[in-house]
Each structure stands twice: as structure tokens, then as C-alpha cells.
Amino acid sequence: MASGVAAVWVPVTDMDRAVTFYRDTLGLEVTNQDSDWSEIDANGLMIGLNGREDASGSAGGGAVITFQPDGSIDDEVARLTDQGVEFTGGISDHEWGRIAPFKDTEGNDLQFYAPPTN
């Protein structure tokens, strides 16, 4: 029986670039770093950056990590856009909330999520 999520692993081809993105661009804490494995603390959820041997490009599927912005989703999208992050499709509104999908430097799917305001 599963009792929760222990970690999310994402493949990376350039560990330094990936760590810089998660630390400096997203503002998350790096708790462990080496060339093959690094750990990012995302408010108690450990994101493992797993160095892969091949440089085949984007992850091409797998988990999507969804972050909750500290402030408004609009402000966070603007902040990251200013840092060169490209949002695929911008912010979309749904009855269950708002999302803004983007990719990390390694091609992994990420997004911001904000719950509905009603």
C-alpha cells in the first residue's frame, strides 16, 4: 500500500544546467548535488534529478511536476518569462483552476497550478 509520494525523479542530460534552473529560476532549495544525482526540496517533496547517459533530447513523456506559485500565477509566469522560460500555450483557465505549462532545461514537462478563486 502506498502512503504518499516519496520523490519524483526526472531525467537530465546536463546536471549543472538543470540544478541552476531548479535553484535559480524556480527558487527551490538544492539539498544534494553531484554529477549523476541531485536532490531538490520542493516544499517537502523531493525532486531527484537523475543524470542520464544518453543525450537523446527531451524526456518524451513521464511525470509532470506541478508547482504552486507563491503569488499569483500571472506574476510567476511573467517572472519566469523574463528569465527566458517559454510557456507552451500560456495560462489556461478551467473550472478546477488555472495552469501554465512549461519545460525545464532538460525537456521535462512542468506546470504551475492555481486553484479556482471562487
Side-chain angles (χ1 to χ4, degrees):
M1 181 184 320
S3 62
V5 177
V8 174
W9 295 12
V10 294
V12 303
T13 54
D14 185 323
M15 186 63 71
D16 290 334
R17 180 177 64 199
V19 166
T20 297
F21 178 82
Y22 283 86
R23 182 192 60 222
D24 298 346
T25 304
L26 293 182
L28 299 172
E29 178 186 0
V30 177
T31 58
N32 180 37
Q33 180 180 354
D34 66 36
S35 61
D36 295 327
W37 178 258
S38 296
E39 296 176 358
I40 310 296
D41 180 0
N43 194 28
L45 173 67
M46 192 269 287
I47 299 172
L49 304 179
N50 187 19
R52 57 185 170 191
E53 294 179 12
D54 68 346
S56 61
S58 69
V64 175
I65 303 173
T66 302
F67 297 99
Q68 293 178 313
D70 284 337
S72 79
I73 195 169
D74 299 279
D75 290 345
E76 195 61 18
V77 167
R79 184 184 75 80
L80 292 183
T81 300
D82 287 346
Q83 292 188 37
V85 175
E86 292 183 31
F87 285 82
T88 55
I91 300 170
S92 60
D93 295 297
H94 308 273
E95 63 184 39
W96 42 263
R98 304 177 81 204
I99 60 168
F102 60 104
K103 292 188 181 285
D104 70 6
T105 56
E106 306 306 300
N108 295 299
D109 292 316
L110 308 174
Q111 68 182 9
F112 281 114
Y113 165 76
T117 56
N118 297 348

